[in-house]
Amino acid sequence: MNTAPAASLPESARDANASLRRAISETRRRNAGKVRLAGLQGAGEPWQWCLGGALALGILMVLGLLLLVFWNGLVTFWPRPIEQVRLHDGTVVAGEPVRSQTFRPGQEVLAALDPAPRSGIERNDGMAARTLYRTGNYDLYGDDFRWLPDYEIAEVSRPWDLMLVERMEWGVFVGRIVAISSGGQRAPVGDVRSPDLIKRHEEARRRWQSIRALERGEIGAVNHRLEQERLRLRRASLANPEGGTALDAARQRFAEREAALKAQHQVLADRASGMRRAHEGDLVVLADAAGREKEMPLGAIVRFYPANDLSLAERLGVYLSRWGEFLLDEPREANTEGGVMPAIFGTFAMTLLLVLVVTPFGVITALYLREYARQGRLVSIVRISVNNLAGVPSIVYGVFGLGFFAYILGGSIDQIFFPERLPNPTYGTGGLLWASLTLALLTVPVVIVATEEALAAVPRSMREGSLACGASKWQTIRNIVLPRAMPGIMTGVILAMARGAGEVAPLMLVGVVKLAPELPIDGYFPFVHLERSFMHLGFHIFDVGFQSRNSEAGKPMVFVTTLLLIALIFAMNVSAILLRNRLKRRFQGSQF
Amino acid sequence: MNQTSATARPASIEFGPTVYHVSRGSHGEAVEISDFDLWYGAKQALFSISMGVEAGLVTALIGPSGCGKSTLLRCLNRMNDLIDGLRIRGRISVAGQDLYAPAADVIAIRKQMGMVFQKPNPFPMTIFENVAYPLRVDGIRHRAMIAETVERSLRGAALWDEVKDRLHESALGLSGGQQQRLCIARAIAGTPEVLLMDEPCSALDPIATAKIEELIDELRGQFTIVIVTHNMQQAARVSDNVAFMYLGRLIEYGDTDTVFTAPKNERTQDYVTGRFG
Ligand SMILES: Nc1ncnc2c1ncn2[C@@H]1O[C@H](COP(=O)(O)OP(=O)(O)OP(=O)(O)O)[C@@H](O)[C@H]1O
Ligand SMILES: [Mg+2]
C-alpha cells in the first residue's frame, strides 16, 4: 500500500536490507559448490536426455507390439503358395511353408545320415535348417503341421494343381480334387477351375445352409415351444396340489400341445433328414500329394482354391472372403477356424452394458461425495477406499461376482422367478448381466474419481450465478454443473470402458465361455437374454492360443483376434472421444 | 469467539459511531439492516452494521479492499450460506421479512434479490437460454411468455440490438462487456425487487464500463440497486446514496453529494479524496 521511495527509508533499515542481501548471496555461493544434484537439475540436460530416451523407448516398444499384431493379423488370411516336397526316402508331402529355423539334430539322427549331408552339418557346427509345413489332412495323418529338415528334402516344387481345401471338420486338406460323385456316379474333375465343380459346390453349400437354417430356425422354434410347455406344466405342478383339478387340466393341456408339437417336429425332422441324405450323397473325392484318397460331402467344404495358380485378383477374393467369414460367422473347429461374430457381439454387448451400469452409478456416487456429503473424515475414508478399490486384483472381483451376483443374487432370482427350471440355473450362474456388473464394480472407481475431479473443476462463479437466479441446489447441479462436468465425466467413462473391455480374468468366472450356443439376443421372448453366457474376444484369444489342440493352428487366429479386439476397443474409444469433444465444444467457448 | 459482545462493541469506540446523513430516499426503505454482525469462523468480518437501503435508488458500497463490502452484499441474498463456519447476528429484512428467520425460504429470497457478479459469468448455453434461465428454474414453460421476457430483459439491459440476430448462439462468444450486460439481463429477467452488483465493471474496459453505468442509470427507479465499487468517480456518477465501510464497520452513510463533499469522519474524507485505499 505505502510505496514510499527507498531513499526516504531510515538509515538503520537500509543497513538491515544490505546485510540480508549479503547473507543470501553468501548462502548461494556456498550451495553452488556443494549441491551437485541441484546443479545438474538446473542444467537439466542429462536428466532430460534420460527421461526422453526412456519415453522414446517405451513408445517404440508399444509401436513395435502394435506393428507386430497389425502385420501378423493382416497377413494371416492372405493365401500362400503350397509346396510339394519329395523326401530322400521317397515320401511326398505337400503344405504351406510356415517358417524356417535352425536346430541341432540328435547324434543318432546324424549317424543315420549319408556322409554328404552329414559333413555339411558338421561344417555348420552341428546345426541344420528345417521348415515347418502346414500339411493339413489331420484325418489321414493325425497331424496338421510337420517339420521337414533340409537334409531329408530331395526336391521342392509348386505344382499348379495343388489345392487348399477348407473344410467344416478336420481342418484344411492339401491335395487335389479328383472327382465328384453323386448317387454312385463318379465324374472326374480335370481342371482346378472346373465350372461344374464350382456350380455343384455352390449348390451343395446352399443346401447345407438351408439345413442349418431349418434346424436352427424352425426346428429350434418348435423345440423352444415344447420347452415352454414343459416349464408351464412344471410351474403348475409346483403351484397346485397333487390330484387337484388344476394340475389335471394342465397335464391334459400339456399332452395335447406336446402331441401337436411333436407331430410338427416330426415333419420338420423328416424334411431335414431328407436334405441331410442329399448332403451326404453329394460327394467329392480328394487325394493328397501322395495319392491317398478321401471321400467327403461336397457341402462340407467351405472354400477351395489352387494355391499356386492364383491371380492377384483371385488371391484378394480369397483374402476378403476369409475376412468376411471371420467377422460374420460362427467359429468352427474348436474356434481355430471360422469366425468370431459371437465373440465380437459378446464383447460389444458386455462393454455397452458395463457403460450403462457404471456411468449412472459412478456419477451418482461422485455427486453425493462432492456435492451433498458433509466433507469430513468419513467422506475422506470413503474416498480413499474407492481409490484403493481400483488396485484390487481383478480376479478377486471375479470371485466376488461369482459368489455374490451369480450364486447369491442369481440364486435368489431363480428361487423366486424361475422355480420350474431348477435345478438348472437361469440367473444362478455366470452370464452377461453378472459379467457386466462385475466389471462395472471393477471400473466404477475410475468413473467416481474422474467425475469428482470434473465436478470440482466447475467454476464457483457458475454455481453462484445459478443459485443467484433462484435455482435450487439440484437445479444448479442438473442445469449447470453436470453439463459443464460432462467432458470430464466422459473421460472417466472412456477410461472405464477401455479397462473393462480389455479385462479377461474375472470374466472367466462370471459368464464367458469357449463356445456359447446362443447369442444373448434372439427372436424368442423376451428377446434380450442377459442371463446367458457369452463369448468374448479376450477370452477367445486365450482359448485359441493356449487351450486348443494345436497351438500352431491357433497362432494366426490369436493375431487376427488380437487385432480385432484392439480395433474394437479403439473404435469404441474413438467414438466416445468424438462424443466428448462435441460436448466440450458446446460448453467451452472463448471467455473474452 | 464466545466473547462476541466484548469484541463487537469497542469497534464503535475506536472508529467513532457511524455517521448518518440524510439519505435521498422518499419511497421508504427496501432493505433494512440492523445491528448486523458476521463471523467467518473465529474471525469477525462485519461489526454491527445498521443501514436502510432506499427503495428505487442506487446505493453504493465503497471502502478499501477487504473491508467487507462483498460480504455485506452477499448477505443480502444469502449467498454466504455456501460458506462453512459462517455465523451471523442481527437482522436483515426485506419488505419487512427477516432474511435470516429460520422459516425463511432461501430460494424465494434469491428470486427477490437479483445478483450481478464481479466477473461476468454467463452459463455455457445460448444467449436466449441464459436470460430465460430464471424462468426455466421457476418451471415456466409458456413459450411466448419466455420469449417476451427475454426480449424485455435484453432491451432493459441495453443488449437487445447487439444480440437479437444471434440469440441462439453460445453466450460465451460475447465480449466481456456484452457478457456482463447479459448477466444483468439475466438478473432482471427474474423480476427481482433489488439488484445486487458486486464491482460489475471491474473486469471491463472504459467503454463497456460507461455502457453499464448508463444502464444502471436507466434501471434506477425500476429496481432498488446496491452496487459495490472501487471507483470513486463511478460511485459519484451512478449512486444516490453512499455507504463507506472500513475494516468491517459502517463509517459513514448518506446521500452521495454530502458524503463526497462534506464527510464528517476523517477516514471517509481520506478515502473519498483518494488519500488512501
Ligand atoms: N470465505 C471466507 N472465509 C474467511 N474469510 C473471508 C471469506 N471471505 C472473505 N473473508 C474475509 O472477510 C473480509 C471481508 O472480505 P470481503 O470479500 O467482503 O471484502 P471486500 O470489501 O469485498 O474486498 P474487495 O474490495 O477486495 O472485494 C476480508 O478480510 C476477507 O479476508
Ligand atoms: Mg469484494
Side-chain angles (χ1 to χ4, degrees):
Chain A
M1 240 198 277
N2 274 324
T3 48
S8 74
L9 277 178
E11 203 63 13
S12 60
R14 238 186 306 163
D15 281 358
N17 264 353
S19 68
L20 188 64
R21 217 171 291 140
R22 255 200 314 281
I24 290 175
S25 60
E26 177 69 17
T27 316
R28 276 201 193 124
R29 220 178 14 256
R30 239 181 300 134
N31 284 351
K34 234 189 286 170
V35 189
R36 192 156 293 163
L37 198 68
L40 268 180
Q41 262 168 350
E45 298 263 314
W47 295 113
Q48 271 175 29
W49 278 107
C50 276
L51 293 177
L55 180 68
L57 191 70
I59 291 178
L60 269 181
M61 271 155 59
V62 170
L63 278 184
L65 178 71
L66 281 181
L67 209 71
L68 180 81
V69 169
F70 225 76
W71 177 247
N72 278 300
L74 282 182
V75 299
T76 296
F77 289 144
W78 190 252
R80 268 172 284 186
I82 298 175
E83 287 182 351
Q84 177 167 310
V85 181
R86 197 165 51 75
L87 304 181
H88 286 302
D89 61 4
T91 338
V92 180
V93 183
E96 286 178 353
V98 179
R99 62 191 144 98
S100 299
Q101 59 174 212
T102 56
F103 76 116
R104 187 179 293 280
Q107 278 308 318
E108 58 277 25
V109 178
L110 280 180
L113 276 182
D114 284 342
R118 192 165 64 211
S119 61
I121 291 171
E122 273 156 8
R123 264 201 310 283
N124 232 339
D125 287 337
M127 302 296 280
R130 61 180 179 182
T131 306
L132 182 67
Y133 284 92
R134 184 189 186 201
T135 52
N137 307 4
Y138 189 83
D139 41 343
L140 297 183
Y141 300 105
D143 237 339
D144 282 315
F145 288 83
R146 188 164 167 191
W147 282 106
L148 291 178
D150 276 1
Y151 52 77
E152 282 186 16
I153 296 176
E155 187 199 342
V156 177
S157 61
R158 291 187 175 179
W160 65 275
D161 59 341
L162 271 185
M163 292 268 207
L164 192 93
V165 182
E166 289 172 38
R167 306 176 290 180
M168 304 285 301
E169 282 168 341
W170 301 113
V172 297
F173 187 92
V174 178
R176 295 171 177 85
I177 296 183
V178 180
I180 29 188
S181 100
S182 70
Q185 278 181 325
R186 206 169 138 143
V189 175
D191 183 9
V192 286
R193 288 191 186 74
S194 143
D196 190 36
L197 174 65
I198 290 168
K199 202 182 99 229
R200 296 266 302 264
H201 176 241
E202 269 165 15
E203 273 167 20
R205 281 306 279 173
R206 262 202 297 280
R207 183 170 53 222
W208 181 79
Q209 236 116 37
S210 53
I211 294 174
R212 203 166 73 146
L214 182 66
E215 285 176 348
R216 286 273 175 94
E218 293 173 57
I219 297 182
V222 172
N223 281 338
H224 179 78
R225 268 157 59 200
L226 201 55
E227 180 63 20
Q228 291 299 315
E229 291 301 332
R230 228 172 251 134
L231 289 176
R232 186 197 291 261
L233 175 63
R234 179 129 166 75
R235 214 159 30 229
S237 78
L238 284 177
N240 297 300
E242 190 61 40
T245 50
L247 187 53
D248 283 345
R251 285 222 174 90
Q252 175 98 29
R253 186 190 131 97
F254 175 72
E256 283 167 18
R257 298 277 172 94
E258 188 189 30
L261 285 171
K262 283 217 163 125
Q264 250 180 36
H265 187 274
Q266 195 53 48
V267 173
L268 292 171
D270 284 349
R271 213 164 86 206
S273 68
M275 284 160 80
R276 273 208 175 276
R277 263 198 304 282
H279 170 76
E280 269 147 27
D282 197 2
L283 295 175
V284 61
V285 183
L286 306 172
D288 77 346
R292 232 173 115 176
E293 286 197 356
K294 158 96 187 172
E295 239 183 21
M296 60 176 290
L298 187 55
I301 291 179
V302 179
R303 106 173 41 76
F304 57 88
Y305 59 87
N308 298 332
D309 195 37
L310 285 178
S311 67
L312 187 67
E314 283 169 322
R315 258 176 226 280
L316 208 61
V318 171
Y319 182 72
L320 291 181
S321 118
R322 276 175 169 173
W323 265 110
E325 185 193 2
F326 180 70
L327 292 178
L328 301 176
D329 255 350
E330 288 168 19
R332 50 191 165 80
E333 297 273 357
N335 292 356
T336 56
E337 305 266 334
V340 292
M341 200 274 285
I344 298 177
F345 186 85
T347 311
F348 183 75
M350 189 208 70
T351 312
L352 199 71
L353 211 58
L354 154 75
V355 168
L356 288 184
V357 174
V358 83
T359 310
F361 202 68
V363 170
I364 288 172
T365 311
L367 266 183
Y368 179 76
L369 282 180
R370 171 68 54 184
E371 304 282 336
Y372 286 98
R374 232 193 139 62
Q375 304 297 320
R377 180 168 303 180
L378 190 66
V379 169
S380 299
I381 292 175
V382 170
R383 212 168 262 147
I384 292 170
S385 314
V386 165
N387 287 341
N388 280 332
L389 268 186
V392 174
S394 56
I395 193 75
V396 175
Y397 284 95
V399 175
F400 174 80
L402 183 69
F404 179 71
F405 289 134
Y407 290 162
I408 296 182
L409 225 67
S412 319
I413 291 177
D414 280 0
Q415 298 269 324
I416 298 167
F417 297 105
F418 304 101
E420 70 275 11
R421 299 196 191 175
L422 288 173
N424 290 342
T426 309
Y427 278 93
T429 177
L432 184 57
L433 180 64
W434 301 143
S436 301
L437 286 184
T438 305
L439 284 192
L441 214 59
L442 179 91
T443 52
V444 81
V446 181
V447 179
I448 293 179
V449 171
T451 306
E452 272 213 73
E453 254 150 44
L455 291 178
V458 174
R460 202 187 152 83
S461 65
M462 289 286 150
R463 296 165 197 262
E464 287 187 342
S466 171
L467 290 172
C469 286
S472 67
K473 184 164 190 173
W474 170 239
Q475 282 174 326
T476 301
I477 288 175
R478 216 195 54 203
N479 295 321
I480 306 293
V481 176
L482 272 186
R484 265 298 286 241
M486 202 44 95
I489 296 174
M490 288 286 293
T491 305
V493 172
I494 291 167
L495 286 176
M497 192 169 90
R499 165 127 203 240
E503 195 64 67
V504 177
L507 294 181
M508 290 158 73
L509 300 181
V510 289
V512 159
V513 290
K514 180 186 171 73
L515 193 66
E518 297 147 309
L519 286 182
I521 290 183
D522 64 16
Y524 301 121
F525 183 81
F527 309 119
V528 181
H529 307 271
L530 297 182
E531 80 281 6
R532 282 187 187 162
S533 52
F534 63 106
M535 292 174 70
H536 184 275
L537 284 172
F539 181 72
H540 198 82
I541 294 171
F542 169 72
D543 177 63
V544 169
F546 308 98
Q547 304 283 295
S548 61
R549 127 194 133 204
N550 188 333
S551 68
E552 202 64 57
K555 217 180 208 167
M557 279 310 245
V558 169
F559 280 114
V560 198
T561 316
T562 309
L563 178 65
L564 190 66
L565 180 59
I566 292 177
L568 189 71
I569 295 177
F570 184 75
M572 287 197 281
N573 277 341
V574 163
S575 40
I577 288 171
L578 287 181
L579 188 68
R580 181 187 65 188
N581 289 352
R582 271 189 54 176
L583 287 177
K584 244 191 200 149
R585 263 204 302 284
R586 258 185 60 200
F587 294 117
Q588 284 172 4
S590 62
Q591 265 294 350
F592 278 91
Chain B
M1 58 177 137
N2 284 330
Q3 321 98 332
T4 49
S5 50
T7 52
R9 295 304 147 191
S12 326
I13 298 167
E14 198 186 320
F15 297 94
T18 308
V19 181
Y20 291 101
H21 302 279
V22 182
S23 61
R24 197 178 273 165
S26 58
H27 313 286
E29 288 171 351
V31 182
E32 172 85 55
I33 305 168
S34 43
D35 210 8
F36 194 78
D37 298 304
L38 181 143
W39 291 262
Y40 287 117
K43 182 170 169 272
Q44 187 162 8
L46 294 180
F47 296 83
S48 66
I49 307 267
S50 293
M51 65 185 274
V53 177
E54 298 290 339
L57 297 187
V58 179
T59 302
L61 296 180
I62 60 172
S65 186
C67 68
K69 306 180 297 290
S70 301
T71 303
L72 181 61
L73 193 76
R74 292 161 65 87
C75 284
L76 299 186
N77 68 344
R78 291 192 58 173
M79 218 52 184
N80 282 332
D81 286 15
L82 304 176
I83 295 166
D84 279 337
L86 184 105
R87 281 185 308 126
I88 57 124
R89 212 188 52 195
R91 203 179 129 92
I92 298 180
S93 53
V94 175
Q97 281 189 323
D98 185 2
L99 288 193
Y100 284 91
D105 178 357
V106 182
I107 290 181
I109 289 171
R110 289 190 185 140
K111 282 175 186 161
Q112 238 174 347
M113 320 286 283
M115 189 165 209
V116 178
F117 295 81
Q118 182 171 358
K119 253 182 83 177
N121 59 350
F123 302 136
M125 313 169 172
T126 63
I127 293 167
F128 185 91
E129 283 304 320
N130 259 282
V131 183
Y133 190 75
L135 304 182
R136 301 248 187 249
V137 162
D138 277 340
I140 294 171
R141 293 271 171 277
H142 197 281
R143 279 184 180 217
M145 187 171 151
I146 290 177
E148 194 199 313
T149 310
V150 167
E151 179 173 345
R152 192 156 35 80
S153 308
L154 283 172
R155 279 189 196 284
L159 191 60
W160 174 254
D161 292 329
E162 287 161 70
V163 300
K164 62 171 186 277
D165 301 322
R166 49 193 287 207
L167 285 178
H168 297 286
E169 285 170 32
S170 169
L172 302 179
L174 294 174
S175 77
Q178 288 173 325
Q179 288 189 357
Q180 194 63 304
R181 275 180 282 148
L182 181 71
C183 292
I184 294 176
R186 187 174 70 196
I188 61 182
T191 55
E193 275 144 41
V194 181
L195 264 184
L196 309 173
M197 300 185 170
D198 192 350
E199 303 181 38
C201 303
S202 65
L204 306 180
D205 64 84
I207 295 176
T209 302
K211 279 197 177 167
I212 303 269
E213 283 179 15
E214 222 171 275
L215 173 59
I216 292 173
D217 210 39
E218 277 166 29
L219 294 175
R220 186 196 315 270
Q222 304 173 41
F223 303 96
T224 304
I225 297 176
V226 183
I227 178 171
V228 172
T229 177
H230 270 288
N231 183 330
M232 284 317 108
Q233 287 80 21
Q234 184 171 65
R237 277 195 302 267
V238 301
S239 69
D240 301 296
N241 294 322
V242 167
F244 172 65
M245 293 176 69
Y246 183 68
L247 291 183
R249 282 91 175 167
L250 179 61
I251 302 295
E252 197 149 352
Y253 178 51
D255 84 292
T256 306
D257 294 341
T258 315
V259 172
F260 274 95
T261 53
K264 286 246 171 61
N265 191 304
E266 175 185 345
R267 284 172 206 281
T268 319
Q269 169 112 38
D270 288 351
Y271 187 75
V272 297
T273 52
R275 223 169 293 162
F276 85 101

